[in-house]
Amino acid sequence: MASAGPKCVAFIDMDCFYVAVERARDASLRGVPCAVVQSNPYERGGVRTVGADEDRRTASNGSIIAVSYEARARGVTRQMRANEARRQCPELVTVQVPTGFGKADLRIYKDAGDRVVELLGRRADACEKRSVDEVAIDLTSAARRVLDADADARPPSGARAFE
């Protein structure tokens, strides 16, 4: 546990997290413009059950919840619906969030977020999951080690130490 005194706490918001999870599950999505979309309950047939292990590539006009950097470079944003995004970027691959019982099933993303928290927690004084893709992490001990090492280092010749 870190000693009392000033703390060094970081807030991590994992960009493109849902896309990263999908790419970890399906390597063919790597390097291509990709977006993760919610199912669209207003489309014909409504929300259909699609399991996490099924092929969830979709032509649905669902709301975009995550956009890869490749798709962003072609003008796709989270504010678009999938059809608008496909007009902007015809090669866009859209993957639907798994669904069950008429609603989104976010377990694969929650589980991936838990694994990130567990990994970060091995190096931190404390780690707290704030949402599926956000983590607060106490780096006080690591920061003190870096600062102590810097304090022990001799400044280059001609350099003045801060007072």
Side-chain angles (χ1 to χ4, degrees), residues 15-16 67-78:
D15 200 24
C16 305
V67 181
S68 72
Y69 291 115
E70 297 85 356
R72 289 179 188 186
R74 290 169 176 82
V76 176
T77 69
R78 283 187 53 216

Side-chain angles (χ1 to χ4, degrees), residues 14 17-18 21 106 108-114 116-117 129-135:
M14 295 175 271
F17 181 72
Y18 291 81
V21 171
L106 301 177
I108 60 172
Y109 310 112
K110 290 177 181 177
D111 290 347
D114 289 344
V116 170
V117 169
K129 187 174 183 180
R130 295 293 176 96
S131 72
V132 171
D133 64 344
E134 297 175 337
V135 180

Side-chain angles (χ1 to χ4, degrees), residues 46-68:
V47 176
R48 64 183 184 87
T49 298
V50 182
D53 293 327
E54 294 180 48
D55 180 7
R56 291 178 285 107
R57 292 177 188 225
T58 182
S60 164
N61 190 30
S63 299
I64 294 176
I65 62 170
V67 181
S68 72

Side-chain angles (χ1 to χ4, degrees), residues 122-151:
R122 292 184 206 158
R123 299 279 189 182
D125 296 325
C127 191
E128 181 180 297
K129 187 174 183 180
R130 295 293 176 96
S131 72
V132 171
D133 64 344
E134 297 175 337
V135 180
I137 182 169
D138 184 344
L139 300 170
T140 304
S141 293
R144 285 197 177 121
R145 282 191 301 274
V146 169
L147 291 172
D148 289 345
D150 280 353

Side-chain angles (χ1 to χ4, degrees), residues 16-25 29 32-39 56-58 60-69 71-72 76-82 85-86 92-99 104-106 108-109:
C16 305
F17 181 72
Y18 291 81
V19 171
V21 171
E22 295 298 343
R23 285 178 167 174
R25 297 172 60 83
L29 297 173
V32 300
C34 181
V36 176
V37 299
Q38 292 279 21
S39 61
R56 291 178 285 107
R57 292 177 188 225
T58 182
S60 164
N61 190 30
S63 299
I64 294 176
I65 62 170
V67 181
S68 72
Y69 291 115
R72 289 179 188 186
V76 176
T77 69
R78 283 187 53 216
Q79 289 73 33
M80 295 177 169
R81 294 193 63 82
R86 283 189 211 93
L92 182 71
V93 176
T94 52
V95 179
Q96 179 183 306
V97 170
T99 55
D105 178 358
L106 301 177
I108 60 172
Y109 310 112

